[in-house]
Amino acid sequence: MPKYVINGKFLTQKVTGVQRYAREIVNELDKIVEYGYLEIAVPSETNNIPDYKNIEVVKIGTLTNQAWEHITFPIYVKKRKATSINLCNVAPLLSPGIVCIHDVKIKARPHDFSKKFLFWYRLLFLNSIKRSKFIITVSNFSRQEICKYYHVPFKKVYVVPNSWQHYKKIEFDENTLTKFGLEKRKYFFSLGSLEPNKNFKWIAEIAKKNSETIFAVAGSINKNVFADGLGFECPNNIKLLGYVSDGQAKTLMRDCKAFLFPTFYEGFGIPPLEAISAGANCVIVSDTSIMHEIFGGYVNYIDPTNYNIEIEKFVKINVQNAKVLLKYSWNKSAKIMNALLNNFLIGDI
């Protein structure tokens, strides 16, 4: 019998930040755990399952989506007499097991979300945080936020960071600039789902003041989730690229004048790390505590509420940003995760 069963619903979803985290952590755990220690349960319709060597994959149930996650999956875990591991914020209401909460922006920035989304996720988070065996998160900042908003002790929350090595596996798509009508080093680039907290309004305002320069933004918005859509009009020199492939994103990062990340709120912030690993000429992020925790002195900082910044001057600042990559490793994070799982079994957590 496995000691733990991983919630594999993320293998059915488009890869954004939390799914990337789950995929990479599980890939690295597979290299270091003994066979039979972990299982990953997935919905029956799951395709393109990674070729794990030591983690057995089990397709279960006929239900889909939330019904699978909150009914089929916990029932299966109980039958296996195991503990569930949930790596993408959401855990079963019946038995949340171990859960990774990446951030608590539903508490810190509730005005960004629709009422329906907010109600459901507040219920899920409250249940998970109060009833889970223990909580994983991705940064010290996020740990502090969880403890502040949910009044849980620090000793129940453990940090297992994100990383960037997945970008090594991605090939550059050399047709990208031609496809999107861009010229090398003549555009600013930003990547991410167009959530209000990502602060793409800052990019729009800066673009208005630099009308001769192109600002390319990749990402999509889900109007069923976020309260007010984009909340601003895009000037003509902003190109909304929509969803781009990993190869296209990596190329856009490498060839841009600067990578922009003017976020208001993050649990970690993977895209600037990816941009640095891709060879971005310059990386500009918000002057916030989480950005300083992750990137230290290896990037350029801007006030995300100041629209009068001379953006071009930051491009001329030479920062040896590649050194920040040495701080993070998916393998190192998986080893931290594995130690937590082992310690829980012997009662040290």
Side-chain angles (χ1 to χ4, degrees):
M1 287 285 190
K3 302 296 184 182
Y4 298 97
V5 181
I6 300 167
N7 179 348
K9 185 171 178 283
F10 65 86
L11 290 174
T12 68
Q13 299 170 327
K14 182 185 291 186
V15 179
T16 59
V18 296
Q19 291 83 14
R20 175 68 67 196
Y21 179 89
R23 284 175 174 268
E24 298 303 326
I25 289 291
V26 174
N27 285 345
E28 292 299 324
L29 281 172
D30 185 57
K31 299 174 184 178
I32 60 177
V33 299
E34 294 183 0
Y35 184 83
Y37 184 68
L38 295 175
E39 275 185 2
I40 181 167
V42 299
S44 297
E45 75 275 13
T46 308
N47 297 313
N48 301 318
I49 299 170
D51 184 21
Y52 300 121
K53 304 301 182 185
N54 294 308
I55 299 176
E56 184 177 357
V57 180
V58 184
K59 290 187 174 184
I60 60 171
T62 58
L63 298 176
T64 60
N65 299 322
Q66 293 180 355
W68 182 90
E69 193 159 38
H70 294 286
I71 299 173
T72 303
F73 176 65
I75 289 174
Y76 176 79
V77 174
K78 185 176 181 179
K79 287 181 179 178
R80 300 293 276 166
K81 298 181 180 179
T83 300
S84 70
I85 300 174
N86 305 275
L87 297 172
C88 297
N89 287 325
V90 178
L93 285 167
L94 294 176
S95 54
I98 297 163
V99 59
C100 180
I101 302 293
H102 290 253
D103 63 61
V104 289
K105 56 179 174 281
I106 60 165
K107 283 285 193 179
R109 294 181 58 82
H111 51 280
D112 287 343
F113 301 94
S114 67
K115 291 181 180 179
K116 181 179 178 181
F117 180 89
L118 203 58
F119 173 81
W120 177 236
Y121 271 81
R122 278 180 167 171
L123 173 63
L124 288 176
F125 274 38
L126 181 63
N127 182 72
S128 293
I129 289 172
K130 296 300 183 183
R131 298 181 59 226
S132 62
K133 304 296 184 182
F134 63 89
I135 302 159
I136 296 162
T137 193
V138 292
S139 65
N140 288 315
F141 170 79
S142 190
R143 184 189 190 197
Q144 291 166 357
E145 291 285 277
I146 291 168
C147 295
K148 177 177 77 174
Y149 284 111
Y150 289 95
H151 309 291
V152 295
F154 259 46
K155 64 182 181 180
K156 190 180 178 179
V157 186
Y158 298 87
V159 176
V160 181
N162 281 291
S163 194
W164 58 273
Q165 283 79 10
H166 55 281
Y167 245 46
K168 287 183 177 181
K169 308 169 193 174
I170 297 168
E171 298 290 334
F172 290 105
D173 182 345
E174 301 299 351
N175 297 315
T176 302
L177 297 195
T178 301
K179 176 178 179 178
F180 293 117
L182 299 169
E183 294 183 61
K184 189 173 183 177
R185 296 286 188 265
K186 292 187 177 181
Y187 64 94
F188 291 92
F189 179 55
S190 185
L191 170 72
S193 58
L194 303 186
E195 305 174 20
N197 72 283
K198 299 297 185 183
N199 192 22
F200 286 111
K201 182 179 179 181
W202 183 88
I203 295 175
E205 294 298 326
I206 296 299
K208 290 176 185 177
K209 298 178 184 300
N210 294 270
S211 59
E212 301 302 314
T213 302
I214 296 297
F215 290 75
V217 176
S220 57
I221 187 165
N222 185 339
K223 293 183 179 179
N224 294 322
V225 172
F226 303 111
D228 298 315
L230 284 175
F232 60 87
E233 294 295 325
C234 287
N236 292 333
N237 59 324
I238 281 189
K239 288 194 173 189
L240 293 176
L241 308 183
Y243 181 80
V244 299
S245 70
D246 287 342
Q248 290 170 338
K250 186 172 181 178
T251 307
L252 289 163
M253 289 170 170
R254 180 194 67 187
D255 293 343
C256 67
K257 182 180 292 191
F259 180 77
L260 307 178
F261 200 66
T263 181
F264 285 127
Y265 190 92
E266 298 291 325
F268 186 95
I270 299 179
L273 267 187
E274 294 174 333
I276 292 168
S277 72
N281 184 55
C282 175
V283 174
I284 300 171
V285 305
S286 293
D287 189 2
T288 59
S289 58
I290 180 58
M291 293 293 98
H292 281 278
E293 176 188 339
I294 305 304
F295 298 103
Y298 298 118
V299 293
N300 297 300
Y301 292 95
I302 53 91
D303 177 353
T305 64
N306 184 358
Y307 303 142
N308 296 312
I309 289 169
E310 295 180 27
I311 192 70
E312 292 287 349
K313 75 177 183 181
F314 289 94
V315 180
K316 300 174 184 178
I317 300 174
N318 184 23
V319 177
Q320 300 299 314
N321 56 24
K323 291 181 180 179
V324 75
L325 300 179
L326 300 176
K327 293 172 60 178
Y328 301 103
S329 160
W330 287 122
N331 178 261
K332 187 189 302 182
S333 292
K335 288 178 177 177
I336 296 170
M337 179 85 73
N338 190 44
L340 291 172
L341 298 179
N342 290 333
N343 288 341
F344 176 71
L345 288 179
I346 63 175
D348 279 358
I349 291 180

